[in-house]
Amino acid sequence: MSVKAQASGIIDHPVSKVFQFHAVEHVQNHPRWDQHIQLDHLTDGPMGVGKMIKRINTRSGKPVEGTMEVTEFEPNKAVTMLIHDGPVKLIARATYQAKVDDRTRLTMNLEFPDLDELDTDMLVSAMERSIRNIDNLLTTEVNE
């Protein structure tokens, strides 16, 4: 058994720009759309399968150290990361779907494969907020 949560939203930018910001530049940008997460490269080289990232999550108030490993990286389509948040394992997957008028549907999925129960309302709200923040950041940077 596992626990799963999903959120999806439209971002008013082309899929290539959304993928670059969210997936390729994930380490530097994630803390910008979610201040509870701090990331740093553990391995050199570009973002792609096998990339290891140090992660510090302060969502619960107390810092929880962990790692992220990129397990899927398909440009402009999908990125998946295996996350160890302290003792908790989760799989985070994002997909990018091009829409008309150079817009993108960004869908975020979280799976906790070792958990049987978890209130997912907070997770869904956090993912929806992240999608809105990503759209706002991209819009602000385009207009600067």
Side-chain angles (χ1 to χ4, degrees):
M1 187 98 176
S2 67
V3 174
K4 297 178 181 179
Q6 181 182 78
S8 186
I10 299 293
I11 296 182
D12 290 324
H13 299 278
V15 73
S16 61
K17 185 170 183 105
V18 175
F19 186 82
Q20 179 72 29
F21 184 87
H22 182 257
V24 175
E25 299 169 354
H26 193 86
V27 172
Q28 52 271 49
N29 287 331
H30 193 140
R32 297 175 64 203
W33 70 73
D34 180 354
Q35 77 262 7
H36 297 289
I37 303 295
Q38 296 302 314
L39 303 175
D40 198 10
H41 297 275
L42 286 175
T43 56
D44 293 331
M47 187 63 85
V49 173
K51 180 75 165 174
M52 293 296 298
I53 301 161
K54 178 181 177 181
R55 171 182 165 101
I56 300 174
N57 182 347
T58 59
R59 193 171 311 285
S60 65
K62 177 184 170 195
V64 176
E65 290 194 27
T67 60
M68 301 169 72
E69 177 185 2
V70 179
T71 59
E72 175 189 23
F73 193 83
E74 187 177 348
N76 299 329
K77 299 285 185 201
V79 64
T80 302
M81 298 188 187
L82 174 61
I83 300 169
H84 289 93
D85 233 2
V88 177
K89 178 170 85 171
L90 61 142
I91 300 163
R93 184 169 196 260
T95 58
Y96 312 83
Q97 180 184 15
K99 304 302 274 180
V100 296
D101 298 329
D102 279 338
R103 296 168 50 157
T104 302
R105 175 172 297 284
L106 174 58
T107 302
M108 296 179 174
N109 294 280
L110 289 179
E111 179 180 0
F112 295 81
D114 300 331
L115 297 181
D116 294 330
E117 288 183 35
L118 182 68
D119 181 3
T120 60
D121 290 344
M122 181 201 70
L123 295 172
V124 171
S125 291
M127 289 187 294
E128 290 172 341
R129 186 171 41 257
S130 290
I131 292 168
R132 286 191 306 272
N133 289 345
I134 290 165
D135 188 36
N136 289 336
L137 286 164
L138 284 168
T139 298
T140 300
E141 290 176 2
V142 164
N143 293 327
E144 286 182 350

